[in-house]
């Protein structure tokens, strides 16, 4: 059988021809893929141009608007630094809160028109039965005060949106009378109130307190005062020095030991002194426990040591201890008369800005819920609001 001969191109070996044919094969495959793809792209472009011309540019979404919102907005103006918190509920621990509240500007003159306010701080277990008397007292002075309420954590307030107490509760913890937890609650109130840079005076109140004058009189009295009001006296008896523990020395010695009512009225300078304290706090927490009632000794002693010259050394919250016992008298419906208020408001003499004064009390306690109705009836005539 005769084999068939394939003529070769002149000057080429068989192996060279095979390699050339193999190299052309991938190029042809790539070309077959690219041609349809380019045709598809051209078709899509033509369709898009036709759609834009026919339906208008707004009919085609050319951009996607971002819905991302930053978690933290960096302050860019002074207003963002001085604006009080819009929501009193926060997640700060007490340690973080006290640290934040202790911030003090080094430059004393404010670079804006600051209107000083009064912070009314209510330390309660739950409801505020005398809220209507406070609503009337505060009406018309919305830019001149702030309200803060510390109640039991389990209490849910139901104030109407129109109330001055609406959403004014701060994050709270359980506090016990005579224990450091009571002072913790008071410091918590002060710290939250200090976050509003316009608050200048800080008034600690209970649910049984009432104002004794109208708002203008009380504000003028406080704003013009050179001193803060906290009772701090040296009681040599067993309920005074008798509660002192020698382990408190050298930070506190017995001659510096003071006693006073827990209800106080302090200016911003002393409020900061209270929240920034760590040294005296530890001493009182460890060595002043029942029958040493820390809420009667901690603040009076500490402030006497740190800033005794700034204290009037008296309280401007009236109470009646004449009935005896561990707690002052409570007054109900039958007690509320014009004669009763004359006894509170008249016949007193005290020192105000180093001068004699007959106005010695701005607030009073303790009033039962049953006292509300007669209080509302008499307040325009007797209290001036």
């Amino acid at each position: 059988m005769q084999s068939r001969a394939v003529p070769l191109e002149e000057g080429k070996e068989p192996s060279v021809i095979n390699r050339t044919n193999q190299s052309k094969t991938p190029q042809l495959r790539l070309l077959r893929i690219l041609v349809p793809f380019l045709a598809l792209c051209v078709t899509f472009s033509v369709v898009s141009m036709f759609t834009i011309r026919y339906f208008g540019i707004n009919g085609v979404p050319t951009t996607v608007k971002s819905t991302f919102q930053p978690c933290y907005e960096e302050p860019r103006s002074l207003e963002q630094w001085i604006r009080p918190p819009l929501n009193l509920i926060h997640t700060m621990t007490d340690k973080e809160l006290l640290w934040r509240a202790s911030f003090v500007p080094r430059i004393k003159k404010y670079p804006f028109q600051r209107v000083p306010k009064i912070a009314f701080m209510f330390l309660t277990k739950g409801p505020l039965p005398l809220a209507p008397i406070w609503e009337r007292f505060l009406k018309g002075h919305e830019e001149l005060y702030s309200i803060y309420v510390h109640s039991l954590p389990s209490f849910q307030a139901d104030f109407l949106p129109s109330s001055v107490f609406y959403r004014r509760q701060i994050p709270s913890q359980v506090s016990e009378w005579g224990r450091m937890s009571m002072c913790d609650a008071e410091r918590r109130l002060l710290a939250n109130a200090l976050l509003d840079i316009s608050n200048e005076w800080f008034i600690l109140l209970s649910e049984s307190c009432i104002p004794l004058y109208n708002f203008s009189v009380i504000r003028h009295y406080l704003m013009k005062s050179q001193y803060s009001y906290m009772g701090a006296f040296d009681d040599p008896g067993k309920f005074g020095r008798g509660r002192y523990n020698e382990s408190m020395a050298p930070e506190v010695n017995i001659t510096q030991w003071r006693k006073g009512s827990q209800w106080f009225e302090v200016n911003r300078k002393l409020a900061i002194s209270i929240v920034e304290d760590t040294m005296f706090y530890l001493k009182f927490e460890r060595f002043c426990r029942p029958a040493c009632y820390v809420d009667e000794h901690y603040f009076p002693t500490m402030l006497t040591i740190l800033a005794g010259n700034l204290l009037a050394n008296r309280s401007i919250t009236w109470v009646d201890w004449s009935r005896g016992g561990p707690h002052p008298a409570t007054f109900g419906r039958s007690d509320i008369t014009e004669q009763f208020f004359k006894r509170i408001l008249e016949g007193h003499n005290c020192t105000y800005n180093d001068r004699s004064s007959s106005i010695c009390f701005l607030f009073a306690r303790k009033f039962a819920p049953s006292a509300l109705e007669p209080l509302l009836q008499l307040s325009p005539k007797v209290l001036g609001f």
Side-chain angles (χ1 to χ4, degrees):
M1 188 175 202
Q2 205 172 15
S3 62
R4 294 177 62 187
V6 179
L8 299 177
E9 291 184 32
E10 186 178 353
K12 289 188 177 180
E13 297 291 330
S15 59
V16 174
I17 294 176
N18 289 338
R19 283 196 301 268
T20 303
N21 290 337
Q22 290 173 2
S23 64
K24 288 181 179 181
T25 302
Q27 294 176 357
L28 289 173
R29 290 177 181 174
L30 181 62
L31 193 60
R32 288 171 184 171
I33 295 172
L34 286 176
V35 169
F37 177 76
L38 290 174
L40 181 64
C41 290
V42 171
T43 303
F44 180 79
S45 299
V46 171
V47 170
S48 298
M49 290 174 63
F50 173 79
T51 302
I52 292 173
R53 288 181 181 179
Y54 186 81
F55 294 104
I57 188 69
N58 294 329
V60 179
T62 56
T63 59
V64 178
K65 185 176 287 187
S66 173
T67 59
F68 172 77
Q69 295 293 331
C71 297
Y72 170 73
E73 183 178 353
E74 184 178 348
R76 297 182 181 181
S77 68
L78 180 63
E79 175 65 24
Q80 291 173 291
W81 283 104
I82 65 177
R83 184 175 55 207
L86 298 177
N87 190 346
L88 296 186
I89 301 301
H90 55 74
T91 60
M92 285 186 283
T93 64
D94 277 357
K95 185 176 181 180
E96 293 167 340
L97 174 65
L98 295 174
W99 176 81
R100 173 63 183 85
S102 66
F103 286 7
V104 180
R106 301 286 293 180
I107 299 176
K108 300 302 180 184
K109 187 175 181 180
Y110 293 95
F112 60 95
Q113 188 64 37
R114 177 178 180 262
V115 179
K117 299 192 297 185
I118 301 173
F120 295 98
M121 309 180 302
F122 290 84
L123 180 58
T124 79
K125 291 183 178 179
L128 291 170
L130 302 179
I133 200 75
W134 286 99
E135 300 266 7
R136 180 182 291 183
F137 166 75
L138 295 167
K139 187 176 181 179
H141 305 283
E142 286 72 18
E143 302 300 319
L144 301 176
Y145 69 84
S146 303
I147 287 181
Y148 304 86
V149 180
H150 186 292
S151 58
L152 290 174
S154 58
F155 175 70
Q156 296 294 323
D158 58 353
F159 292 106
L160 296 175
S162 58
S163 172
V164 298
F165 295 100
Y166 182 66
R167 292 184 177 177
R168 300 310 297 175
Q169 285 180 280
I170 66 169
S172 61
Q173 297 181 30
V174 174
S175 57
E176 298 179 76
W177 179 70
R179 303 258 180 195
M180 185 55 90
S181 60
M182 182 65 71
C183 296
D184 289 337
E186 295 169 14
R187 286 178 14 126
R188 205 172 290 126
L189 278 164
L190 283 170
N192 278 278
L194 281 166
L195 298 183
D196 185 344
I197 199 169
S198 293
N199 286 332
E200 184 61 29
W201 278 87
F202 303 79
I203 316 301
L204 184 64
L205 303 157
S206 74
E207 68 272 20
S208 65
C209 288
I210 65 166
L212 292 175
Y213 295 91
N214 63 45
F215 185 89
S216 298
V217 171
I218 289 180
R219 185 174 188 273
H220 182 270
Y221 193 101
L222 293 172
M223 295 300 172
K224 295 296 181 181
S225 179
Q226 300 171 11
Y227 301 97
S228 289
Y229 297 92
M230 179 176 291
F233 59 93
D234 183 3
D235 179 359
K238 66 177 183 178
F239 300 118
R241 289 196 179 194
R243 296 173 175 173
Y244 175 76
N245 187 323
E246 292 181 354
S247 297
M248 302 190 76
E251 288 81 4
V252 180
N253 61 59
I254 195 167
T255 61
Q256 298 169 315
W257 186 254
R258 294 293 184 269
K259 181 181 179 180
S261 169
Q262 74 176 108
W263 312 105
F264 57 74
E265 301 80 16
V266 298
N267 60 23
R268 191 173 185 89
K269 179 179 177 65
L270 292 194
I272 292 172
S273 296
I274 292 173
V275 303
E276 72 181 2
D277 171 57
T278 55
M279 178 179 67
F280 294 102
Y281 180 93
L282 295 175
K283 285 289 183 178
F284 278 88
E285 184 182 36
R286 290 185 62 187
F287 302 115
C288 184
R289 299 185 177 187
C292 176
Y293 299 105
V294 67
D295 53 291
E296 296 180 0
H297 296 282
Y298 174 32
F299 296 157
T301 300
M302 176 185 68
L303 292 181
T304 296
I305 295 172
L306 296 178
N309 62 317
L310 300 179
L311 293 178
N313 196 20
R314 66 181 178 91
S315 174
I316 52 177
T317 299
W318 181 88
V319 291
D320 183 1
W321 291 96
S322 64
R323 301 180 187 181
H327 301 286
T330 299
F331 303 100
R333 176 188 294 271
S334 61
D335 298 300
I336 309 305
T337 63
E338 290 187 41
Q339 192 64 33
F340 170 77
F341 279 105
K342 282 185 178 181
R343 182 161 67 92
I344 297 177
L345 298 172
E346 298 177 5
H348 302 290
N349 189 271
C350 56
T351 300
Y352 174 73
N353 288 344
D354 302 320
R355 294 183 179 183
S356 180
S357 173
S358 60
I359 300 180
C360 300
F361 301 103
L362 302 184
F363 308 95
R365 63 186 301 267
K366 301 171 58 173
F367 292 86
S370 64
L372 177 60
E373 186 178 344
L375 282 171
L376 290 172
Q377 292 174 353
L378 282 177
S379 67
K381 181 178 180 181
V382 177
L383 305 180
F385 61 89

